[in-house]
């Protein structure tokens, strides 16, 4: 049997980390099994649907290098792969359930449903939900209601006794009493659009989906979907509910944890290789030790049994570390191409890069790639090269635990050492040795000497390596900036 899996997001918002992990797990499982990865767009929520969300879905998967075998744009034998283009199918199958006595037409108004709900709450009824008012209407009663212009919905007849069980690859058998399943849920709305449950089950069956890999939050809908499969007389696929992605606080990852939309990560300068690698490890591991995987390696080694049962923790610091490692793997040519848009957006270089600007970028690349966690870091790290905005705050120059007088002496003497050695063409290792000796003589930490020099040159305590900063800026401009900052003391 060929493995066929799907990623079926609803285009009602930007692609987020949790959704992308689901896509990656499905994709890598399909590739490792020699199967097919299908993309399906579940766009039946027309009120929340946006074209921006749909385009973001395509852009995100393309950016990550995830190619779907069947789906929108590429087509396939089971299309269309956009649910709003499959309405006739859902209507046909919903009516078949009515004909088979497994579903029925419901004409209840929203006002009546709300009244029933309030009465159940007031009476503290053990039974909460639809009261099956329309379950046994006669043909004549239905015809009379339809003459009044009432458009019905179609509801599933859920058994009131017994239990429903489905098996999950990670969690084993999951059983729920039928009386606890959503009471007679709507399958087809009065406007002819299906609900998620109906469209999902029909599409998975007709598209030959063999394995459903989705988030654990969908477990409560499992029994209902099994009941739908039984109502249609279809064999359900294999279920694998994926562990939740949580923040460091143990709560489900959400916007309050920071950027969870993949587009935000992309704009900040995270590399697709880092996102793909790290997100896959949030809930999966090969051997508990190996951390770095290429996409091609994951396509071969990904196995369901290596998915963790417990939730995965998304650690921004760990992602930053991964991204920094991938940045450092890039060649200087690649770094120049990657950082250019950020410097252009900041207004540091022209939209049409000149030869002199290109030469500067190639000088900058080796140094900046050792300091960046994300590509956008290039802007604050290199700002001193393109702007001359001195730091006029004395406190920025003074090292921790130092007095202003100590700072002035360390700054004055240290700057002289740096400038003299640079003019003499001495190796920077010798300059570091001289600065260390000065710090020991003064009884201070070595950063107490370097910090004011660094701030004078770059206007920031966090910068490129000092020797690189001087080389990029030029000795003459370096000396001018140092003298200007010394005047503050």
């Amino acid at each position: 049997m060929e493995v066929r899996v799907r990623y079926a997001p609803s285009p009602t918002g930007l692609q987020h980390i949790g959704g992308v992990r689901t896509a990656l797990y499905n994709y890598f499982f399909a590739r490792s099994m020699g199967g097919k990865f299908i993309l399906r767009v579940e766009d039946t929520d027309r009120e929340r649907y946006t074209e921006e969300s749909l385009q973001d879905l395509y852009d995100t998967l393309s950016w990550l290098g995830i190619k779907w075998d069947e789906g929108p744009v590429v087509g396939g034998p089971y299309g269309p792969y956009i649910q709003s283009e499959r309405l006739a199918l859902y209507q046909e199958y919903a009516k078949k359930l009515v004909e088979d006595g497994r579903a029925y037409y419901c004409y209840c108004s929203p006002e009546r449903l709300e009244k029933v709900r309030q009465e159940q709450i007031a009476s503290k009824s053990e039974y909460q939900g639809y009261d099956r008012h329309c379950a046994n209407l006669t043909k004549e009663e239905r015809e009379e209601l339809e003459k009044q212009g009432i458009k019905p919905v179609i509801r599933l007849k859920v058994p009131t006794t017994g239990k429903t069980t489905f098996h999950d690859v990670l969690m084993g058998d999951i059983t729920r009493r039928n009386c606890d399943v959503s009471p007679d849920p709507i399958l087809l709305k009065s406007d002819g659009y299906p609900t998620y449950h109906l469209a999902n089950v029909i599409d998975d069956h007709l598209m030959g989906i063999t394995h459903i890999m989705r988030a654990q939050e969908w477990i409560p809908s499992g029994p209902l979907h099994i009941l739908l499969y039984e109502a249609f007389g279809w064999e359900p696929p294999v279920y694998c509910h994926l562990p939740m992605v949580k923040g460091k606080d143990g709560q489900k990852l959400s916007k309050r944890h920071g950027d969870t939309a993949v587009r935000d990560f992309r704009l900040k300068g995270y590399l697709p290789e880092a996102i793909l690698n790290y997100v896959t490890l949030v809930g999966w591991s090969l051997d508990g030790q190996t951390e770095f995987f290429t996409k091609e390696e994951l396509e071969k080694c990904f196995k369901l049994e290596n998915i963790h049962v417990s939730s995965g923790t998304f650690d921004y610091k760990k992602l930053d570390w991964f991204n920094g490692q991938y940045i450092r793997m890039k060649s200087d040519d690649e770094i120049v191409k990657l950082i250019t848009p950020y410097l252009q957006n900041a207004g540091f270089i022209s939209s049409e890069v000149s030869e002199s600007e290109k030469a500067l970028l190639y000088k900058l690349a080796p140094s900046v790639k050792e300091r960046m966690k994300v590509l956008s870091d290039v802007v604050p790290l290199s700002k001193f090269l393109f702007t001359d905005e001195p730091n006029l705050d004395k406190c920025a120059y003074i090292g921790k635990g130092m007095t202003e007088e100590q700072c002035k002496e360390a700054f004055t003497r240290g700057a002289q050492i740096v400038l003299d050695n640079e003019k003499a063409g001495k190796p920077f290792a010798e300059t570091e040795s001289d600065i260390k000796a000065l710090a020991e003589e003064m009884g201070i930490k070595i950063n107490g000497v370097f910090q004011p020099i660094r701030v004078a040159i770059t206007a920031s305590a966090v910068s490129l390596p000092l020797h690189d900063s001087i080389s990029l800026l030029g000795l003459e401009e370096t000396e001018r900036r140092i003298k200007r900052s010394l005047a503050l003391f």
Side-chain angles (χ1 to χ4, degrees), residues 145-361:
L145 290 165
E146 287 175 14
K147 283 180 183 177
Q148 298 174 29
I150 300 174
K151 292 185 177 180
V153 300
I154 292 179
R155 291 181 180 272
L156 177 69
K157 269 187 183 176
V158 174
T160 55
T161 60
K163 299 177 180 179
T164 296
T165 299
F166 71 95
H167 184 77
D168 182 271
V169 171
L170 299 179
M171 307 182 71
D173 287 343
I174 296 173
T175 301
R176 195 175 183 188
R177 296 186 306 169
N178 290 331
C179 62
D180 293 331
V181 174
S182 179
D184 292 7
I186 295 173
L187 299 179
L188 194 73
K189 293 177 279 188
S190 59
D191 61 2
Y193 272 82
T195 58
Y196 163 79
H197 305 293
L198 178 69
N200 188 275
V201 166
I202 290 173
D203 287 346
D204 283 340
H205 175 72
L206 296 183
M207 292 180 184
I209 302 303
T210 60
H211 296 72
I212 292 179
M213 300 171 67
R214 60 186 184 183
Q216 282 184 2
E217 63 193 59
W218 291 107
I219 286 177
S221 70
L224 173 57
H225 289 189
I226 294 298
L227 288 171
L228 265 170
Y229 278 105
E230 291 176 353
F232 282 120
W234 297 336
E235 186 73 23
V238 175
Y239 283 93
C240 179
H241 287 90
L242 306 174
M244 190 181 297
V245 180
K246 294 184 178 181
K248 294 266 305 186
D249 60 359
Q251 301 300 310
K252 181 182 176 182
L253 194 67
S254 64
K255 288 182 180 178
R256 63 188 174 80
H257 292 98
D259 297 324
T260 58
V262 176
R263 187 169 73 178
D264 292 335
F265 287 101
R266 185 176 179 179
L267 290 172
K268 279 189 175 180
Y270 288 89
L271 299 175
E273 308 97 296
I275 293 287
L276 185 146
N277 189 159
Y278 178 67
V279 170
T280 301
L281 295 179
V282 181
W284 177 91
S285 65
L286 178 65
D287 52 19
Q289 295 180 327
T290 309
E291 289 191 304
F292 285 92
F293 296 90
T294 64
K295 181 166 72 73
E296 292 70 27
E297 288 169 339
L298 288 167
E299 288 175 352
K300 294 177 181 177
C301 71
F302 191 91
K303 296 290 182 289
L304 291 186
E305 53 264 32
N306 293 123
I307 298 175
H308 304 161
V309 176
S310 57
S311 60
T313 300
F314 189 85
D315 185 341
Y316 283 87
K317 289 184 178 179
K318 186 73 171 179
L319 174 60
D320 284 348
W321 179 81
F322 262 94
N323 203 61
Q325 297 302 310
Y326 274 103
I327 285 174
R328 284 176 257 303
M329 294 178 195
K330 298 291 183 184
S331 67
D332 288 353
D333 283 338
E334 290 172 312
I335 290 294
V336 168
K337 289 177 183 177
L338 289 167
I339 64 175
T340 295
Y342 292 93
L343 297 174
Q344 288 172 327
N345 289 338
F348 292 167
I349 60 176
S350 56
S351 56
E352 294 294 332
V353 183
S354 67
E355 287 302 316
S356 60
E357 287 173 331
K358 185 182 289 187
L360 179 59
L361 291 180

Side-chain angles (χ1 to χ4, degrees), residues 73-126:
V73 183
V74 303
Y78 300 99
Y81 293 89
I82 296 178
Q83 286 188 336
S84 60
E85 299 174 11
R86 299 169 62 84
L87 298 185
L89 266 175
Y90 307 133
Q91 294 163 8
E92 174 191 342
Y93 278 95
K95 289 174 183 176
K96 185 177 186 302
L97 288 178
V98 174
E99 292 168 2
D100 293 343
R102 307 303 293 264
Y104 59 90
Y105 293 104
C106 173
Y107 301 84
C108 292
S109 67
E111 292 76 19
R112 182 187 181 277
L113 295 175
E114 178 59 23
K115 181 182 177 183
V116 169
R117 190 179 75 87
Q118 293 298 338
E119 288 174 352
Q120 289 173 345
I121 292 173
S123 64
K124 298 181 179 178
S125 171
E126 181 181 345

Side-chain angles (χ1 to χ4, degrees), residues 29 34 68 122 151 154 161 243 441 471 475 479 487:
F29 176 61
W68 51 99
K151 292 185 177 180
I154 292 179
T161 60
E441 176 193 329
S471 176
L475 188 55
E479 186 169 12

